[in-house]
């Protein structure tokens, strides 16, 4: 008898490893990457990737990838197949919120003032953040929270460590200026009836600012309207709920005092009638 010995060999096990995964830098960004290595089997590998949103690729190391789950099938020259995959994540969304300082329903205390403030809170993304504020009218700041602001719209552009960008804006509102009109009493062209009379009045109408209002008159009155007053100057200070002040002055006029001059006629003897008992005197 004759015997023969044969050795049947096989290639090494075909394997694939994921060496590096670069996650997406920003929410919805497509800048992820996967680096793979195939070994074993019979060289001459082909790669077939599939992923989210219909993604497919034959690259060994695909790039420009969106977040999601990716599956790899590697086929060697003998048709042997190995599988692998990777999961690309994305950071939490970069976002922000703004809290504006409030003065009784407005954000600036008085018309024309610059005492507004905005507190910015940033969430998500990757620290550190850079911030660029603008109001479109020349205001710029890189501070997180900004103060000494006038009325207007302010926008913050926030950039995180990965270059992700988020914008947020808010509008600061100022009250209208305090407005004051007055109706003065009228008597035949003057404001009081007689020189020393106290029948004048000043009726105020206040608007704008932030109510309620405090009224202080130069004569000590805190009433909004003055009644039963004489001729002369009056000054009023109006202070609103935010401490804004408006001053105004009014003058009530009176007619000139009645002036009476009496002149008695004289006689040659130095008296005003000619004879005792006579009725020929004259008063002009």
């Amino acid at each position: 008898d004759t015997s023969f010995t044969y050795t049947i060999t096989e290639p090494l096990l075909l394997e694939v490893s994921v060496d590096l995964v670069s996650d997406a830098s920003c929410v919805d960004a497509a800048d992820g990457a996967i680096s793979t290595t195939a070994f074993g089997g019979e060289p001459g590998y082909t790669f077939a990737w599939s992923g989210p949103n219909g993604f497919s690729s034959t690259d060994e190391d695909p790039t420009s990838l969106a977040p999601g789950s990716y599956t790899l099938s590697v086929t060697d020259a003998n048709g042997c197949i190995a599988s692998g995959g990777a999961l690309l994540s994305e950071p939490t969304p970069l976002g922000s919120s703004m809290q504006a300082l409030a003065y009784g329903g407005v954000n600036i205390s008085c018309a024309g003032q610059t005492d507004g403030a905005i507190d910015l809170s940033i969430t998500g993304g990757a620290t550190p953040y850079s911030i660029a504020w603008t109001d479109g009218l020349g205001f710029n700041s890189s501070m997180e929270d900004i103060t000494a602001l006038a009325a207007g719209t302010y926008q913050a552009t926030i950039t995180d460590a990965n270059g992700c960008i988020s914008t947020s804006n808010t509008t600061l509102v100022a009250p209208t200026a305090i407005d004051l009109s007055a109706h003065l009493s009228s008597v035949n062209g003057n404001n009081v009836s007689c020189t020393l009379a106290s029948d004048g009045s000043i009726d105020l109408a206040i608007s704008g600012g932030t109510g309620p209002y405090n009224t202080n008159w130069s004569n000590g009155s805190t009433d909004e309207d003055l009644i039963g007053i004489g001729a002369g100057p009056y000054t009023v200070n109006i202070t609103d709920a935010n401490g804004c002040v408006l001053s105004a002055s009014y003058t009530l006029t009176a007619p000139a005092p009645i002036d009476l001059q009496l002149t008695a006629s004289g006689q040659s003897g130095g008296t005003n009638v000619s004879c005792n008992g006579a009725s020929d005197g004259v008063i002009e």
Side-chain angles (χ1 to χ4, degrees), residues 53-154:
N53 304 315
F55 172 84
S56 63
S57 174
T58 58
D59 294 336
E60 180 177 354
D61 303 319
T63 58
S64 301
L65 305 178
S69 179
Y70 291 83
T71 300
L72 170 64
S73 178
V74 179
T75 304
D76 71 1
N78 291 333
C80 303
I81 297 175
S83 299
L87 177 65
L88 270 64
S89 63
E90 61 184 350
T92 56
L94 176 64
S96 64
S97 62
M98 295 181 177
Q99 181 66 45
L101 183 65
Y103 295 89
V106 292
N107 309 113
I108 309 296
S109 62
C110 306
Q113 289 297 309
T114 56
D115 54 5
I118 301 174
D119 182 8
L120 177 66
S121 298
I122 306 172
T123 58
T127 58
Y129 310 109
S130 64
I131 303 165
W133 284 97
T134 180
D135 68 347
L137 299 174
F139 173 84
N140 294 282
S141 177
S142 59
M143 302 294 291
E144 180 170 332
D145 303 323
I146 51 177
T147 59
L149 306 177
T153 298
Y154 294 82

Side-chain angles (χ1 to χ4, degrees), residues 66 73 84 120 137 164 188 191 229 235 251 255:
S73 178
L120 177 66
L137 299 174
C164 309
N188 295 321
N191 305 117
I229 55 176
T235 298
T251 298

Side-chain angles (χ1 to χ4, degrees), residues 25 43 46 49 53 96 108-109 166 196 199 211 234 240 254 259 272-273:
S25 61
T46 60
W49 285 96
N53 304 315
S96 64
I108 309 296
S109 62
S166 174
L196 300 179
D199 55 4
Y234 296 86
D240 74 359
D259 185 37
N272 302 114
V273 295

Side-chain angles (χ1 to χ4, degrees), residues 5-52:
T5 300
Y6 298 93
T7 300
I8 300 175
T9 62
E10 63 179 354
L12 296 174
L13 178 67
L14 176 63
E15 297 182 79
V16 61
S17 67
V18 176
D19 301 317
L20 176 67
V21 174
S22 297
D23 294 321
S25 61
C26 306
V27 175
D28 297 329
D31 56 1
I34 303 174
S35 176
T36 60
T37 300
F39 53 91
E42 188 67 32
Y45 309 114
T46 60
F47 300 85
W49 285 96
S50 61

